[in-house]
Amino acid sequence: MKRVPADQTRFARIRLVLEQAAVAPGWRGLLFECLMFGFKQGWACLFGALILALLLGTHFFYPASAPLHRYDFLTLCALAIQIGMIAFRLETWREVAVIGIFHVVGTVMELFKTAAGSWVYPEASLLHIGAVPLFSGFMYAAVGSYIARVWRIFDFRFSGYPPRWTSFVLAIAIYINFFAHHWLPDVRLALFAITALLFGRCQIWFRPLHRHRAMPLLLGWFLVALFIWFAENIATFANAWNYPDQAAGWRMVSPMKMAAWYLLMIISFVLVSLVSPIRRPPLSYRDPTSYDASATLR
């Protein structure tokens, strides 16, 4: 039996058994494949789901008289979750290293954006840098964890992927614009155009069950950005942070924020690509026996 270096868990083995199950063609097979897609997506976003559950749970139930600030409690819990992800081999050490970069990249941006008044953290904390509580870095890490895990679990392959150096240059330009647009013209429309030019033909191939399916990578990024926006609404409702228009009371985050999350998704994707291979689709992707089904556990 092949050694499994990551996701060596009971749930991962259950997933492998389900993936190898014989499914009759027709609507039953399609339904089972859709259920597997949802199961694997949920398993991939475990880190983020736990963080959201903590935000909501502490918002409703954390005692105001507790000797430990809520934000500090969230930081310690997020750290425990990260340790657990490593201890239970849900993430590889290379993935953890990239997630560490997410912490740094996210925290630097948080320091700048809070100083510029883009958003605020309304509660007190001891574990913070400037006006930024340390748990905020783990929210960026949750995005990185999801991308790294979903890449492996769905055995991502790519067709029409541009030269990798172009994606690195694009990600750097996007990150610089997050800061520079406060003094210089906002070039995000140009960045969207360049993104479409580079990745317009790129297809992402993912394996929910026995065979790879394909969708435009640009669409995949949009769907993830949409769900991050949903999560952001939950987080701001839980008073994790507030935008200026939420100072007088919670209101839905503007859908325009999805544009920022879309650009951040590109940065996140490029960072994860440092440790996750950009592989082509199987030569015979219509044949479910043309590749090793256990590959998604690696």
Side-chain angles (χ1 to χ4, degrees):
M1 180 179 292
K2 292 184 178 180
R3 182 176 179 271
V4 180
D7 257 359
Q8 180 75 1
T9 66
R10 179 176 299 178
F11 281 103
R13 294 186 178 280
I14 291 173
R15 191 179 73 242
L16 180 57
V17 170
L18 292 173
E19 287 174 345
Q20 294 176 333
V23 181
W27 69 268
R28 291 184 179 85
L30 183 60
L31 176 61
F32 186 70
E33 185 171 349
C34 290
L35 292 174
M36 276 298 299
F37 178 84
F39 173 75
K40 292 168 78 170
Q41 282 285 351
W43 186 234
C45 66
L46 177 63
F47 195 155
L50 291 174
I51 294 293
L52 275 182
L54 277 169
L55 290 176
L56 278 175
T58 55
H59 175 65
F60 287 115
F61 303 113
Y62 197 75
S65 59
L68 185 66
H69 292 301
R70 174 185 174 232
Y71 281 175
D72 296 331
F73 176 77
L74 288 170
T75 298
L76 296 178
C77 288
L79 180 61
I81 292 172
Q82 182 64 84
I83 293 173
M85 297 289 285
I86 299 170
F88 290 103
R89 306 175 72 178
L90 299 177
E91 293 170 345
T92 68
W93 280 106
R94 293 181 69 190
E95 291 168 353
V96 171
V98 171
I99 291 170
I101 298 175
F102 274 84
H103 273 274
V104 175
V105 169
T107 300
V108 170
M109 189 163 65
E110 287 282 329
L111 287 168
F112 178 84
K113 290 292 189 178
T114 52
S118 298
W119 56 79
V120 297
Y121 290 90
E123 299 182 21
S125 66
L126 294 176
L127 303 176
H128 62 87
I129 300 175
V132 181
L134 294 185
F135 83 86
S136 67
F138 288 97
M139 292 188 287
Y140 290 91
V143 176
S145 174
Y146 166 75
I147 297 175
R149 284 169 54 74
V150 78
W151 198 309
R152 173 162 32 86
I153 290 171
F154 279 91
D155 189 25
F156 278 179
R157 311 291 179 98
F158 303 90
S159 57
Y161 199 88
R164 294 191 68 184
W165 69 267
T166 61
S167 67
F168 298 140
V169 172
L170 175 62
I172 292 170
I174 291 171
Y175 191 65
I176 291 174
N177 188 64
F178 277 133
F179 300 88
H181 80 84
H182 286 273
W183 304 287
L184 302 174
D186 190 346
V187 297
R188 71 177 62 192
L189 291 180
L191 293 171
F192 280 123
I194 295 171
T195 300
L197 181 65
L198 289 177
F199 292 95
R201 297 178 56 193
C202 184
Q203 296 279 317
I204 181 170
W205 297 78
F206 57 97
R207 194 173 75 87
L209 192 57
H210 294 314
R211 54 171 287 182
H212 279 84
R213 304 286 185 177
M215 75 163 58
L217 181 58
L218 296 178
L219 174 60
W221 283 342
F222 170 76
L223 293 175
V224 176
L226 176 63
F227 278 94
I228 294 176
W229 178 74
F230 288 148
E232 181 181 38
N233 276 282
I234 295 173
T236 54
F237 173 79
N239 212 39
W241 70 90
N242 296 147
Y243 288 108
D245 63 351
Q246 296 173 324
W250 183 82
R251 57 186 300 180
M252 182 175 291
V253 177
S254 169
M256 296 301 295
K257 288 290 182 181
M258 278 190 283
W261 283 117
Y262 192 96
L263 292 173
L264 185 66
M265 271 300 307
I266 297 172
I267 297 175
S268 306
F269 184 91
V270 171
L271 282 175
V272 173
S273 75
L274 294 173
V275 297
S276 298
I278 303 292
R279 294 186 292 177
R280 294 182 179 180
L283 292 176
S284 182
Y285 53 80
R286 290 185 177 87
D287 178 6
T289 64
S290 63
Y291 53 93
D292 180 9
S294 66
T296 55
L297 294 182
R298 292 198 290 271

